[in-house]
Structures are given as C-alpha cells and as structure tokens.
PDB file of all heavy atoms in Angstrom:
ATOM      1  N   GLU A  26       7.797  -3.795  -3.358  1.00 98.00           N
ATOM      2  CA  GLU A  26       9.075  -4.170  -2.736  1.00 98.00           C
ATOM      3  C   GLU A  26       9.011  -4.069  -1.216  1.00 98.00           C
ATOM      4  O   GLU A  26       9.608  -4.880  -0.505  1.00 98.00           O
ATOM      5  CB  GLU A  26      10.205  -3.278  -3.267  1.00 98.00           C
ATOM      6  CG  GLU A  26      10.578  -3.522  -4.716  1.00 98.00           C
ATOM      7  CD  GLU A  26       9.612  -2.834  -5.674  1.00 98.00           C
ATOM      8  OE1 GLU A  26       8.742  -2.058  -5.203  1.00 98.00           O
ATOM      9  OE2 GLU A  26       9.719  -3.075  -6.889  1.00 98.00           O
ATOM     10  N   ILE A  27       8.283  -3.077  -0.710  1.00 98.00           N
ATOM     11  CA  ILE A  27       8.203  -2.914   0.746  1.00 98.00           C
ATOM     12  C   ILE A  27       7.545  -4.128   1.389  1.00 98.00           C
ATOM     13  O   ILE A  27       7.938  -4.567   2.480  1.00 98.00           O
ATOM     14  CB  ILE A  27       7.451  -1.604   1.119  1.00 98.00           C
ATOM     15  CG1 ILE A  27       7.507  -1.390   2.640  1.00 98.00           C
ATOM     16  CG2 ILE A  27       6.008  -1.618   0.627  1.00 98.00           C
ATOM     17  CD1 ILE A  27       6.947  -0.049   3.089  1.00 98.00           C
ATOM     18  N   ILE A  28       6.558  -4.715   0.721  1.00 98.00           N
ATOM     19  CA  ILE A  28       5.894  -5.904   1.254  1.00 98.00           C
ATOM     20  C   ILE A  28       6.857  -7.091   1.239  1.00 98.00           C
ATOM     21  O   ILE A  28       6.968  -7.836   2.217  1.00 98.00           O
ATOM     22  CB  ILE A  28       4.618  -6.211   0.458  1.00 98.00           C
ATOM     23  CG1 ILE A  28       3.565  -5.127   0.716  1.00 98.00           C
ATOM     24  CG2 ILE A  28       4.062  -7.588   0.824  1.00 98.00           C
ATOM     25  CD1 ILE A  28       2.271  -5.325  -0.041  1.00 98.00           C
ATOM     26  N   ARG A  29       7.569  -7.254   0.135  1.00 98.00           N
ATOM     27  CA  ARG A  29       8.545  -8.354   0.063  1.00 98.00           C
ATOM     28  C   ARG A  29       9.622  -8.194   1.138  1.00 98.00           C
ATOM     29  O   ARG A  29      10.041  -9.171   1.764  1.00 98.00           O
ATOM     30  CB  ARG A  29       9.186  -8.397  -1.322  1.00 98.00           C
ATOM     31  CG  ARG A  29       8.255  -8.837  -2.441  1.00 98.00           C
ATOM     32  CD  ARG A  29       9.037  -9.235  -3.676  1.00 98.00           C
ATOM     33  NE  ARG A  29       8.158  -9.607  -4.766  1.00 98.00           N
ATOM     34  CZ  ARG A  29       7.843  -8.813  -5.788  1.00 98.00           C
ATOM     35  NH1 ARG A  29       8.358  -7.581  -5.851  1.00 98.00           N
ATOM     36  NH2 ARG A  29       7.047  -9.225  -6.748  1.00 98.00           N
ATOM     37  N   ASP A  30      10.078  -6.967   1.325  1.00 98.00           N
ATOM     38  CA  ASP A  30      11.100  -6.718   2.347  1.00 98.00           C
ATOM     39  C   ASP A  30      10.595  -7.118   3.725  1.00 98.00           C
ATOM     40  O   ASP A  30      11.337  -7.714   4.526  1.00 98.00           O
ATOM     41  CB  ASP A  30      11.505  -5.244   2.352  1.00 98.00           C
ATOM     42  CG  ASP A  30      12.324  -4.846   1.128  1.00 98.00           C
ATOM     43  OD1 ASP A  30      12.824  -5.748   0.425  1.00 98.00           O
ATOM     44  OD2 ASP A  30      12.455  -3.631   0.877  1.00 98.00           O
ATOM     45  N   LEU A  31       9.330  -6.800   4.008  1.00 98.00           N
ATOM     46  CA  LEU A  31       8.776  -7.092   5.333  1.00 98.00           C
ATOM     47  C   LEU A  31       8.626  -8.586   5.561  1.00 98.00           C
ATOM     48  O   LEU A  31       9.074  -9.109   6.584  1.00 98.00           O
ATOM     49  CB  LEU A  31       7.422  -6.385   5.499  1.00 98.00           C
ATOM     50  CG  LEU A  31       7.484  -4.866   5.707  1.00 98.00           C
ATOM     51  CD1 LEU A  31       6.095  -4.252   5.599  1.00 98.00           C
ATOM     52  CD2 LEU A  31       8.106  -4.533   7.059  1.00 98.00           C
ATOM     53  N   TYR A  32       7.998  -9.298   4.609  1.00 98.00           N
ATOM     54  CA  TYR A  32       7.805 -10.724   4.894  1.00 98.00           C
ATOM     55  C   TYR A  32       9.116 -11.508   4.805  1.00 98.00           C
ATOM     56  O   TYR A  32       9.276 -12.520   5.484  1.00 98.00           O
ATOM     57  CB  TYR A  32       6.663 -11.349   4.089  1.00 98.00           C
ATOM     58  CG  TYR A  32       6.808 -11.495   2.594  1.00 98.00           C
ATOM     59  CD1 TYR A  32       7.805 -12.277   2.006  1.00 98.00           C
ATOM     60  CD2 TYR A  32       5.860 -10.914   1.742  1.00 98.00           C
ATOM     61  CE1 TYR A  32       7.889 -12.448   0.631  1.00 98.00           C
ATOM     62  CE2 TYR A  32       5.939 -11.076   0.357  1.00 98.00           C
ATOM     63  CZ  TYR A  32       6.956 -11.854  -0.183  1.00 98.00           C
ATOM     64  OH  TYR A  32       7.033 -12.019  -1.548  1.00 98.00           O
ATOM     65  N   SER A  33      10.061 -11.017   4.015  1.00 97.00           N
ATOM     66  CA  SER A  33      11.376 -11.678   3.972  1.00 97.00           C
ATOM     67  C   SER A  33      12.123 -11.507   5.290  1.00 97.00           C
ATOM     68  O   SER A  33      12.972 -12.339   5.649  1.00 97.00           O
ATOM     69  CB  SER A  33      12.219 -11.114   2.829  1.00 97.00           C
ATOM     70  OG  SER A  33      11.624 -11.402   1.576  1.00 97.00           O
ATOM     71  N   ALA A  34      11.822 -10.433   6.023  1.00 98.00           N
ATOM     72  CA  ALA A  34      12.448 -10.178   7.322  1.00 98.00           C
ATOM     73  C   ALA A  34      11.670 -10.816   8.473  1.00 98.00           C
ATOM     74  O   ALA A  34      11.969 -10.561   9.645  1.00 98.00           O
ATOM     75  CB  ALA A  34      12.567  -8.676   7.556  1.00 98.00           C
ATOM     76  N   GLY A  35      10.674 -11.645   8.148  1.00 97.00           N
ATOM     77  CA  GLY A  35       9.921 -12.340   9.182  1.00 97.00           C
ATOM     78  C   GLY A  35       8.699 -11.598   9.688  1.00 97.00           C
ATOM     79  O   GLY A  35       8.051 -12.038  10.643  1.00 97.00           O
ATOM     80  N   MET A  36       8.376 -10.463   9.065  1.00 98.00           N
ATOM     81  CA  MET A  36       7.225  -9.667   9.484  1.00 98.00           C
ATOM     82  C   MET A  36       5.954 -10.103   8.745  1.00 98.00           C
ATOM     83  O   MET A  36       6.011 -10.735   7.684  1.00 98.00           O
ATOM     84  CB  MET A  36       7.461  -8.185   9.204  1.00 98.00           C
ATOM     85  CG  MET A  36       8.767  -7.644   9.754  1.00 98.00           C
ATOM     86  SD  MET A  36       8.784  -7.610  11.555  1.00 98.00           S
ATOM     87  CE  MET A  36      10.398  -6.864  11.839  1.00 98.00           C
ATOM     88  N   ILE A  37       4.814  -9.727   9.294  1.00 98.00           N
ATOM     89  CA  ILE A  37       3.517  -9.923   8.652  1.00 98.00           C
ATOM     90  C   ILE A  37       2.984  -8.548   8.269  1.00 98.00           C
ATOM     91  O   ILE A  37       2.584  -7.765   9.140  1.00 98.00           O
ATOM     92  CB  ILE A  37       2.526 -10.636   9.581  1.00 98.00           C
ATOM     93  CG1 ILE A  37       3.054 -12.026   9.965  1.00 98.00           C
ATOM     94  CG2 ILE A  37       1.146 -10.747   8.916  1.00 98.00           C
ATOM     95  CD1 ILE A  37       2.249 -12.724  11.046  1.00 98.00           C
ATOM     96  N   PRO A  38       2.990  -8.186   6.981  1.00 98.00           N
ATOM     97  CA  PRO A  38       2.483  -6.870   6.578  1.00 98.00           C
ATOM     98  C   PRO A  38       0.960  -6.803   6.713  1.00 98.00           C
ATOM     99  O   PRO A  38       0.248  -7.737   6.328  1.00 98.00           O
ATOM    100  CB  PRO A  38       2.890  -6.768   5.095  1.00 98.00           C
ATOM    101  CG  PRO A  38       3.879  -7.871   4.869  1.00 98.00           C
ATOM    102  CD  PRO A  38       3.540  -8.939   5.844  1.00 98.00           C
ATOM    103  N   VAL A  39       0.483  -5.696   7.270  1.00 98.00           N
ATOM    104  CA  VAL A  39      -0.954  -5.430   7.374  1.00 98.00           C
ATOM    105  C   VAL A  39      -1.201  -4.103   6.652  1.00 98.00           C
ATOM    106  O   VAL A  39      -0.706  -3.060   7.075  1.00 98.00           O
ATOM    107  CB  VAL A  39      -1.408  -5.342   8.846  1.00 98.00           C
ATOM    108  CG1 VAL A  39      -2.909  -5.056   8.916  1.00 98.00           C
ATOM    109  CG2 VAL A  39      -1.065  -6.638   9.586  1.00 98.00           C
ATOM    110  N   VAL A  40      -1.946  -4.151   5.551  1.00 98.00           N
ATOM    111  CA  VAL A  40      -2.035  -3.016   4.641  1.00 98.00           C
ATOM    112  C   VAL A  40      -3.418  -2.371   4.674  1.00 98.00           C
ATOM    113  O   VAL A  40      -4.433  -3.035   4.447  1.00 98.00           O
ATOM    114  CB  VAL A  40      -1.705  -3.447   3.193  1.00 98.00           C
ATOM    115  CG1 VAL A  40      -1.644  -2.217   2.286  1.00 98.00           C
ATOM    116  CG2 VAL A  40      -0.399  -4.223   3.136  1.00 98.00           C
ATOM    117  N   ALA A  41      -3.436  -1.062   4.936  1.00 98.00           N
ATOM    118  CA  ALA A  41      -4.673  -0.276   4.864  1.00 98.00           C
ATOM    119  C   ALA A  41      -4.870   0.191   3.420  1.00 98.00           C
ATOM    120  O   ALA A  41      -3.930   0.688   2.798  1.00 98.00           O
ATOM    121  CB  ALA A  41      -4.590   0.927   5.794  1.00 98.00           C
ATOM    122  N   PRO A  42      -6.091   0.070   2.867  1.00 97.00           N
ATOM    123  CA  PRO A  42      -6.332   0.418   1.459  1.00 97.00           C
ATOM    124  C   PRO A  42      -6.520   1.924   1.231  1.00 97.00           C
ATOM    125  O   PRO A  42      -7.554   2.389   0.745  1.00 97.00           O
ATOM    126  CB  PRO A  42      -7.599  -0.365   1.130  1.00 97.00           C
ATOM    127  CG  PRO A  42      -8.352  -0.389   2.417  1.00 97.00           C
ATOM    128  CD  PRO A  42      -7.293  -0.502   3.501  1.00 97.00           C
ATOM    129  N   VAL A  43      -5.494   2.666   1.601  1.00 97.00           N
ATOM    130  CA  VAL A  43      -5.436   4.107   1.347  1.00 97.00           C
ATOM    131  C   VAL A  43      -4.229   4.333   0.452  1.00 97.00           C
ATOM    132  O   VAL A  43      -3.160   3.777   0.713  1.00 97.00           O
ATOM    133  CB  VAL A  43      -5.282   4.905   2.658  1.00 97.00           C
ATOM    134  CG1 VAL A  43      -5.124   6.390   2.370  1.00 97.00           C
ATOM    135  CG2 VAL A  43      -6.474   4.659   3.572  1.00 97.00           C
ATOM    136  N   ALA A  44      -4.392   5.108  -0.610  1.00 97.00           N
ATOM    137  CA  ALA A  44      -3.324   5.229  -1.601  1.00 97.00           C
ATOM    138  C   ALA A  44      -2.992   6.677  -1.897  1.00 97.00           C
ATOM    139  O   ALA A  44      -3.775   7.590  -1.618  1.00 97.00           O
ATOM    140  CB  ALA A  44      -3.727   4.525  -2.899  1.00 97.00           C
ATOM    141  N   THR A  45      -1.827   6.851  -2.479  1.00 97.00           N
ATOM    142  CA  THR A  45      -1.418   8.165  -2.964  1.00 97.00           C
ATOM    143  C   THR A  45      -1.869   8.329  -4.414  1.00 97.00           C
ATOM    144  O   THR A  45      -2.225   7.357  -5.076  1.00 97.00           O
ATOM    145  CB  THR A  45       0.112   8.316  -2.855  1.00 97.00           C
ATOM    146  OG1 THR A  45       0.483   9.649  -3.147  1.00 97.00           O
ATOM    147  CG2 THR A  45       0.833   7.375  -3.817  1.00 97.00           C
ATOM    148  N   GLY A  46      -1.872   9.575  -4.890  1.00 95.00           N
ATOM    149  CA  GLY A  46      -2.269   9.853  -6.265  1.00 95.00           C
ATOM    150  C   GLY A  46      -1.094  10.295  -7.110  1.00 95.00           C
ATOM    151  O   GLY A  46       0.058  10.303  -6.665  1.00 95.00           O
ATOM    152  N   MET A  47      -1.382  10.684  -8.342  1.00 93.00           N
ATOM    153  CA  MET A  47      -0.341  11.140  -9.254  1.00 93.00           C
ATOM    154  C   MET A  47       0.087  12.575  -8.936  1.00 93.00           C
ATOM    155  O   MET A  47       1.185  12.992  -9.282  1.00 93.00           O
ATOM    156  CB  MET A  47      -0.832  11.061 -10.710  1.00 93.00           C
ATOM    157  CG  MET A  47      -1.311   9.676 -11.124  1.00 93.00           C
ATOM    158  SD  MET A  47      -0.002   8.426 -11.120  1.00 93.00           S
ATOM    159  CE  MET A  47       0.882   8.894 -12.616  1.00 93.00           C
ATOM    160  N   GLU A  48      -0.796  13.304  -8.267  1.00 91.00           N
ATOM    161  CA  GLU A  48      -0.500  14.685  -7.894  1.00 91.00           C
ATOM    162  C   GLU A  48       0.012  14.747  -6.453  1.00 91.00           C
ATOM    163  O   GLU A  48      -0.228  13.830  -5.656  1.00 91.00           O
ATOM    164  CB  GLU A  48      -1.763  15.555  -8.029  1.00 91.00           C
ATOM    165  CG  GLU A  48      -2.411  15.511  -9.411  1.00 91.00           C
ATOM    166  CD  GLU A  48      -1.532  16.116 -10.489  1.00 91.00           C
ATOM    167  OE1 GLU A  48      -0.736  17.030 -10.150  1.00 91.00           O
ATOM    168  OE2 GLU A  48      -1.620  15.686 -11.644  1.00 91.00           O
ATOM    169  N   ASP A  49       0.689  15.830  -6.112  1.00 91.00           N
ATOM    170  CA  ASP A  49       1.189  15.998  -4.753  1.00 91.00           C
ATOM    171  C   ASP A  49       0.029  16.092  -3.762  1.00 91.00           C
ATOM    172  O   ASP A  49      -1.007  16.705  -4.058  1.00 91.00           O
ATOM    173  CB  ASP A  49       2.045  17.272  -4.647  1.00 91.00           C
ATOM    174  CG  ASP A  49       3.367  17.143  -5.387  1.00 91.00           C
ATOM    175  OD1 ASP A  49       3.757  15.997  -5.705  1.00 91.00           O
ATOM    176  OD2 ASP A  49       3.999  18.186  -5.648  1.00 91.00           O
ATOM    177  N   ASN A  50       0.225  15.498  -2.591  1.00 90.00           N
ATOM    178  CA  ASN A  50      -0.746  15.578  -1.489  1.00 90.00           C
ATOM    179  C   ASN A  50      -2.124  15.030  -1.855  1.00 90.00           C
ATOM    180  O   ASN A  50      -3.136  15.474  -1.315  1.00 90.00           O
ATOM    181  CB  ASN A  50      -0.881  17.028  -0.994  1.00 90.00           C
ATOM    182  CG  ASN A  50       0.423  17.565  -0.455  1.00 90.00           C
ATOM    183  OD1 ASN A  50       1.133  16.877   0.280  1.00 90.00           O
ATOM    184  ND2 ASN A  50       0.769  18.798  -0.831  1.00 90.00           N
ATOM    185  N   GLU A  51      -2.168  14.059  -2.765  1.00 94.00           N
ATOM    186  CA  GLU A  51      -3.435  13.447  -3.149  1.00 94.00           C
ATOM    187  C   GLU A  51      -3.609  12.139  -2.384  1.00 94.00           C
ATOM    188  O   GLU A  51      -2.686  11.338  -2.292  1.00 94.00           O
ATOM    189  CB  GLU A  51      -3.429  13.159  -4.660  1.00 94.00           C
ATOM    190  CG  GLU A  51      -4.696  13.587  -5.355  1.00 94.00           C
ATOM    191  CD  GLU A  51      -4.623  13.370  -6.863  1.00 94.00           C
ATOM    192  OE1 GLU A  51      -3.654  12.770  -7.362  1.00 94.00           O
ATOM    193  OE2 GLU A  51      -5.549  13.817  -7.529  1.00 94.00           O
ATOM    194  N   THR A  52      -4.807  11.951  -1.838  1.00 96.00           N
ATOM    195  CA  THR A  52      -5.115  10.729  -1.101  1.00 96.00           C
ATOM    196  C   THR A  52      -6.349  10.082  -1.701  1.00 96.00           C
ATOM    197  O   THR A  52      -7.333  10.764  -1.985  1.00 96.00           O
ATOM    198  CB  THR A  52      -5.373  11.026   0.390  1.00 96.00           C
ATOM    199  OG1 THR A  52      -4.206  11.623   0.958  1.00 96.00           O
ATOM    200  CG2 THR A  52      -5.718   9.760   1.156  1.00 96.00           C
ATOM    201  N   PHE A  53      -6.303   8.748  -1.869  1.00 96.00           N
ATOM    202  CA  PHE A  53      -7.442   8.027  -2.416  1.00 96.00           C
ATOM    203  C   PHE A  53      -7.876   6.907  -1.477  1.00 96.00           C
ATOM    204  O   PHE A  53      -7.050   6.218  -0.872  1.00 96.00           O
ATOM    205  CB  PHE A  53      -7.100   7.420  -3.784  1.00 96.00           C
ATOM    206  CG  PHE A  53      -7.106   8.413  -4.912  1.00 96.00           C
ATOM    207  CD1 PHE A  53      -5.922   8.961  -5.368  1.00 96.00           C
ATOM    208  CD2 PHE A  53      -8.298   8.801  -5.504  1.00 96.00           C
ATOM    209  CE1 PHE A  53      -5.913   9.884  -6.406  1.00 96.00           C
ATOM    210  CE2 PHE A  53      -8.305   9.718  -6.542  1.00 96.00           C
ATOM    211  CZ  PHE A  53      -7.117  10.261  -6.996  1.00 96.00           C
ATOM    212  N   ASN A  54      -9.174   6.742  -1.377  1.00 94.00           N
ATOM    213  CA  ASN A  54      -9.782   5.601  -0.706  1.00 94.00           C
ATOM    214  C   ASN A  54      -9.925   4.498  -1.759  1.00 94.00           C
ATOM    215  O   ASN A  54     -10.442   4.728  -2.846  1.00 94.00           O
ATOM    216  CB  ASN A  54     -11.165   6.017  -0.172  1.00 94.00           C
ATOM    217  CG  ASN A  54     -11.932   4.868   0.453  1.00 94.00           C
ATOM    218  OD1 ASN A  54     -11.339   3.912   0.928  1.00 94.00           O
ATOM    219  ND2 ASN A  54     -13.257   4.963   0.430  1.00 94.00           N
ATOM    220  N   VAL A  55      -9.435   3.302  -1.450  1.00 95.00           N
ATOM    221  CA  VAL A  55      -9.498   2.191  -2.396  1.00 95.00           C
ATOM    222  C   VAL A  55     -10.358   1.082  -1.799  1.00 95.00           C
ATOM    223  O   VAL A  55     -10.203   0.735  -0.620  1.00 95.00           O
ATOM    224  CB  VAL A  55      -8.091   1.650  -2.722  1.00 95.00           C
ATOM    225  CG1 VAL A  55      -8.159   0.571  -3.794  1.00 95.00           C
ATOM    226  CG2 VAL A  55      -7.170   2.785  -3.161  1.00 95.00           C
ATOM    227  N   ASN A  56     -11.269   0.538  -2.596  1.00 91.00           N
ATOM    228  CA  ASN A  56     -12.060  -0.604  -2.152  1.00 91.00           C
ATOM    229  C   ASN A  56     -11.114  -1.706  -1.666  1.00 91.00           C
ATOM    230  O   ASN A  56     -10.108  -2.010  -2.308  1.00 91.00           O
ATOM    231  CB  ASN A  56     -12.914  -1.095  -3.320  1.00 91.00           C
ATOM    232  CG  ASN A  56     -13.671  -2.365  -2.991  1.00 91.00           C
ATOM    233  OD1 ASN A  56     -13.148  -3.455  -3.178  1.00 91.00           O
ATOM    234  ND2 ASN A  56     -14.882  -2.226  -2.508  1.00 91.00           N
ATOM    235  N   GLY A  57     -11.434  -2.296  -0.509  1.00 94.00           N
ATOM    236  CA  GLY A  57     -10.538  -3.281   0.089  1.00 94.00           C
ATOM    237  C   GLY A  57     -10.279  -4.485  -0.796  1.00 94.00           C
ATOM    238  O   GLY A  57      -9.136  -4.964  -0.893  1.00 94.00           O
ATOM    239  N   ASP A  58     -11.323  -5.004  -1.452  1.00 94.00           N
ATOM    240  CA  ASP A  58     -11.134  -6.131  -2.360  1.00 94.00           C
ATOM    241  C   ASP A  58     -10.240  -5.735  -3.530  1.00 94.00           C
ATOM    242  O   ASP A  58      -9.354  -6.496  -3.938  1.00 94.00           O
ATOM    243  CB  ASP A  58     -12.489  -6.616  -2.894  1.00 94.00           C
ATOM    244  CG  ASP A  58     -13.327  -7.297  -1.833  1.00 94.00           C
ATOM    245  OD1 ASP A  58     -12.754  -7.807  -0.852  1.00 94.00           O
ATOM    246  OD2 ASP A  58     -14.562  -7.324  -1.981  1.00 94.00           O
ATOM    247  N   THR A  59     -10.479  -4.541  -4.071  1.00 95.00           N
ATOM    248  CA  THR A  59      -9.675  -4.054  -5.195  1.00 95.00           C
ATOM    249  C   THR A  59      -8.206  -3.943  -4.802  1.00 95.00           C
ATOM    250  O   THR A  59      -7.305  -4.361  -5.548  1.00 95.00           O
ATOM    251  CB  THR A  59     -10.185  -2.683  -5.667  1.00 95.00           C
ATOM    252  OG1 THR A  59     -11.556  -2.821  -6.079  1.00 95.00           O
ATOM    253  CG2 THR A  59      -9.368  -2.159  -6.833  1.00 95.00           C
ATOM    254  N   ALA A  60      -7.950  -3.390  -3.619  1.00 97.00           N
ATOM    255  CA  ALA A  60      -6.573  -3.239  -3.141  1.00 97.00           C
ATOM    256  C   ALA A  60      -5.915  -4.596  -2.954  1.00 97.00           C
ATOM    257  O   ALA A  60      -4.757  -4.804  -3.352  1.00 97.00           O
ATOM    258  CB  ALA A  60      -6.553  -2.452  -1.831  1.00 97.00           C
TER     259      ALA A  60
END
C-alpha cells in the first residue's frame, strides 16, 4: 500500500531490498532480483 500511495501522489518510489522479520528487531538482506 505504501508504494501505491507514493506513485498515486506523483512520487517515484525507490526501494532498498532490506526487510523486517517475524521477530522484533529482525533485519534481513534480500536479493535485489527477489525483492
């Protein structure tokens, strides 16, 4: 939804392939193609 909100408002979203996990304070590196 955040991406849709941005491009609907005239913005160009630029997304870094870093993600959150199921646990608190978890950070994951995601392959760029996969993301």
Side-chain angles (χ1 to χ4, degrees):
E26 290 80 7
I27 186 173
I28 291 179
R29 290 196 182 100
D30 289 345
L31 286 169
Y32 68 62
S33 296
M36 308 292 183
I37 299 171
V39 180
V40 187
V43 176
T45 188
M47 304 295 285
E48 305 294 331
D49 290 344
N50 298 316
E51 226 176 7
T52 300
F53 283 99
N54 176 26
V55 185
N56 174 272
D58 290 336
T59 300

